């Protein structure tokens, strides 16, 4: 059984690392936030360290679950790779940018290390129960084969998407579709509420009709109409994923006018609400524009 290093115990990393600890893997964990790795180690009887070289020396496969690819690159090249034994694997499960992933892969190959990208979808609830969708990119089939048993502990739907970076490309494009679905449904609720429809009833109708999507099913009532805005996926992270998707459009020479409009709206929400807000709080952009708060029974009255 490979020894695992796990870096980044945030909203997603914590429950994902927990799945590995509970499956009996020898695990060394690290996180930049003070006390987090020690808390994890105490709860799940693993090792924790603040020193990435110590983590690297104790690991055959190092998993990163960090905010973005730039942070992954810095942590891996500055601190992890120099201490990893040749033949080890870096498994980046963060939602990183695909071009940066290819570049990192080239740098690591020169050091005798393999990189596999395996970003995830499904959010905190599916990280907790180990049913994430995972998109796996990489040319090194042996490295992927080594990662698969780990990935199977964290995910249910595993897809090999192609060469290195293809998982990250697929993830960014998935989040573009998801982000567009969320704001389209929020806009529809705003229009309907002003007309006199009940937002709560609208969600029921959408979910039984062709407008149904992941946001209508799993986000509108749960996080927006409830006013909880606590899905566990940050607004800043979604905005980053959209930029990644649109960068990819521009890098591949694809015109994406709908995506350009979508990213602009998310960037405006990001500027208004800050990176710390939950991504479902994007609804507040429309609420402010129209002076209409979305509650289960938001009434026409807000038109006044
Ligand atoms: P998060 O902000 O909750 O966690 C990130 C963790 O990384 C934090 O604990 C932070 O302290 C740590 N960190 C940051 N810089 C570090 C460094 N230099 N060294 C060590 N630790 C460092 O983010 P998250 O929601 O867990 O997301 C992680 C990744 O997964 C992101 O790329 C995100 O886009 C992606 N993702 C998130 C979700 C979700 O629902 N939250 C779903 C799918 C994918």
């Amino acid at each position: 059984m490979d020894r695992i290093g796990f870096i980044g115990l945030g909203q997603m990393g914590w429950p994902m690392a927990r799945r590995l600890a509970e499956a009996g893997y020898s695990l060394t964990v690290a996180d930049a936030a003070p006390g987090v790795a020690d808390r994890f180690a105490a709860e799940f009887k693993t090792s924790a360290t603040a020193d990435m070289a110590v983590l690297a020396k104790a690991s055959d496969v190092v998993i990163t679950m960090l905010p973005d690819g730039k942070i992954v690159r810095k942590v891996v090249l500055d601190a992890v790779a120099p201490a990893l034994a040749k033949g080890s694997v870096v498994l980046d499960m963060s939602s990183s940018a695909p071009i940066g992933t290819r570049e990192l892969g080239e740098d690591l190959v020169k050091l005798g290390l393999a990189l596999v990208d395996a970003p995830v979808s499904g959010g905190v609830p599916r990280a907790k129960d180990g049913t994430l969708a995972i998109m796996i990119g990489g040319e090194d089939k042996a490295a992927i084969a080594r990662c698969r048993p780990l990935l199977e502990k964290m995910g249910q739907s595993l897809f090999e998407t192609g060469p290195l970076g293809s998982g990250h490309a697929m993830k960014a494009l998935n989040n573009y579709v998801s982000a567009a679905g969320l704001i389209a449904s929020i806009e529809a609720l705003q229009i309907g509420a002003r007309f006199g429809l009940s937002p709560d009833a609208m969600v029921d109708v959408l979910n039984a009709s062709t407008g149904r999507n992941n946001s209508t099913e799993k986000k509108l009532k749960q996080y927006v109409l409830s006013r909880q805005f606590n899905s566990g996926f940050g607004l800043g992270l979604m905005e980053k994923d959209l930029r990644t998707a649109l960068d990819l459009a521009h890098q591949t020479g694809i015109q994406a006018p709908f995506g350009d409009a979508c990213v602009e709206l998310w960037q405006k929400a990001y500027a208004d609400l800050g990176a710390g807000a939950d991504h479902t709080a994007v609804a507040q952009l429309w609420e402010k524009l129209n002076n209409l708060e979305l509650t289960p029974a938001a009434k026409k009255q807000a038109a006044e």
Side-chain angles (χ1 to χ4, degrees):
M1 226 181 195
D2 277 324
R3 298 164 308 151
I4 311 302
F6 201 108
I7 307 174
L9 299 167
Q11 296 278 0
M12 294 294 285
W14 181 291
M16 288 162 64
R18 174 187 186 156
R19 299 276 315 167
L20 298 179
E22 288 177 345
Y25 279 96
S26 153
L27 205 58
T28 305
V29 298
D31 191 286
V36 171
D38 287 335
R39 244 187 5 257
F40 184 96
E43 197 168 330
F44 302 110
K45 309 206 173 5
T46 68
S47 307
T49 179
D51 183 340
M52 298 298 168
V54 170
L55 178 141
K57 284 188 183 130
S59 308
D60 307 304
V61 176
V62 173
I63 299 176
T64 45
M65 193 55 178
L66 294 165
D68 62 43
K70 286 196 177 130
I71 297 175
V72 171
R73 180 177 179 82
K74 187 157 175 46
V75 168
V76 169
L77 286 186
D78 288 2
V80 174
L84 267 179
K86 278 196 183 8
S88 304
V89 179
V90 175
L91 176 59
D92 182 22
M93 302 193 72
S94 328
S95 304
S96 304
I99 303 288
T101 300
R102 285 192 192 159
E103 290 166 359
L104 179 60
E106 284 163 18
D107 292 331
L108 291 182
V109 162
K110 288 180 204 147
L111 300 170
L113 304 170
L115 178 65
V116 173
D117 55 314
V120 306
S121 182
V124 174
R126 284 170 62 186
K128 283 185 177 158
D129 61 19
T131 59
L132 290 164
I134 307 185
M135 303 140 219
I136 308 163
E139 289 88 355
D140 186 334
K141 294 294 167 202
I144 292 176
R146 264 173 90 181
C147 294
R148 271 195 93 96
L150 306 171
L151 296 173
E152 281 163 6
K153 297 288 178 235
M154 296 181 271
Q156 194 170 49
S157 310
L158 273 54
F159 300 93
E160 289 194 27
T161 47
L164 190 66
S166 64
H168 283 149
M170 184 61 234
K171 168 63 188 173
L173 294 169
N174 172 76
N175 276 25
Y176 162 45
V177 174
S178 170
L182 177 58
I183 63 173
S185 51
I186 286 165
E187 202 166 283
L189 291 193
Q190 286 268 301
I191 300 165
R194 179 64 48 87
F195 182 74
L197 289 162
S198 139
D200 199 52
M202 281 186 76
V203 176
D204 291 338
V205 176
L206 287 168
N207 284 336
S209 308
T210 53
R212 177 169 57 96
N213 62 45
N214 182 64
S215 295
T216 64
E217 283 186 329
K218 300 201 172 136
K219 297 183 184 176
L220 292 180
K221 285 196 187 189
Q222 295 83 343
Y223 306 120
V224 178
L225 299 183
S226 70
R227 315 305 295 165
Q228 296 295 307
F229 304 118
N230 62 349
S231 74
F233 180 42
L235 179 63
L237 293 177
M238 183 63 111
E239 189 267 346
K240 171 234 7 175
D241 291 340
L242 281 168
R243 272 191 286 112
T244 303
L246 265 292
D247 284 350
L248 200 57
H250 301 144
Q251 283 151 357
T252 53
I254 289 293
Q255 300 289 315
F258 183 53
D260 288 334
C262 184
V263 79
E264 206 178 296
L265 288 161
W266 280 89
Q267 280 175 334
K268 186 155 173 28
Y270 180 75
D272 284 3
L273 299 165
D278 191 79
H279 81 290
T280 55
V282 72
Q284 291 166 14
L285 184 67
W286 278 260
E287 294 183 335
K288 238 164 107 184
L289 272 175
N290 297 314
N291 188 27
L292 173 53
E293 192 172 282
L294 288 172
T295 57
K299 291 265 175 356
K300 238 176 136 180
Q301 112 286 327
E304 272 88 72

